[in-house]
Amino acid sequence: MLSYALNYAAGELDPAGYHLVNVLLHAANAALVFLIIEELFANRMFAVWSGLLFALHPIRTEAVAYVVGRAETLAALFFLAAWWCYLRGRPAAGAAAFLAAALCKESAFTFLAVLPLSDYIARRNWDRRTFARYAPFAAAAAVALGLRYI
């Protein structure tokens, strides 16, 4: 709702501004896909093609073209930002981004399954520190659930 309020403050009910914001958010999501794939697989060409596929695939059309799709696009932005922060070793920023994603759309809670899968792909060792890496995200999930309950 905040993003719609900002859109309204900038251009009132002119639909062009709303569509422009959706396209820019989608472009940022494609850039984050590129960064995540490059971080996970250390293969720039694979990352470029992955980002382009995400950007151009027609399954994303509705979320970008329809103004009401903003919640899905914003949730994806924060979801991907949280993932990238996690991979870069920035758990506090990642947890904040995950909280924002979960507040945008409930489907963002699937991010909690992405963490162990990322560790598996990145071949990180599973030890006592593994659960410490997940703790900020569990706390963010608890806060999001509490806020949704309230």
Side-chain angles (χ1 to χ4, degrees), residues 75-111:
L77 176 77
F78 292 124
F79 184 107
L80 294 168
W83 194 2
W84 188 62
C85 288
Y86 176 74
L87 292 172
R88 302 286 294 182
R90 299 184 179 123
F98 167 60
L99 176 60
L103 293 176
C104 286
K105 192 159 176 143
E106 295 84 0
S107 60
F109 281 101
T110 59
F111 178 75

Side-chain angles (χ1 to χ4, degrees), residues 62-130:
E62 288 180 10
V64 177
Y66 297 149
V67 173
V68 75
R70 175 83 52 92
E72 184 176 333
T73 306
L74 272 175
L77 176 77
F78 292 124
F79 184 107
L80 294 168
W83 194 2
W84 188 62
C85 288
Y86 176 74
L87 292 172
R88 302 286 294 182
R90 299 184 179 123
F98 167 60
L99 176 60
L103 293 176
C104 286
K105 192 159 176 143
E106 295 84 0
S107 60
F109 281 101
T110 59
F111 178 75
L112 297 174
V114 168
L115 299 175
L117 293 172
S118 295
D119 285 343
Y120 178 76
I121 291 170
R123 293 183 176 86
R124 289 188 177 152
N125 292 333
W126 289 57
D127 54 17
R128 279 182 270 138
R129 293 175 295 189
T130 301

Side-chain angles (χ1 to χ4, degrees), residues 1 32 58-59 108 137 144-146 149:
M1 297 307 292
L32 282 167
I59 200 166
F137 300 97
L145 287 172
Y149 180 76

Side-chain angles (χ1 to χ4, degrees), residues 3 16 43 45 52 56 58 69 74 94 99 126-127 134 137 147 150:
S3 71
N43 184 331
M45 190 53 63
L52 284 173
L56 301 175
L74 272 175
L99 176 60
W126 289 57
D127 54 17
Y134 301 159
F137 300 97
L147 289 173
I150 291 171

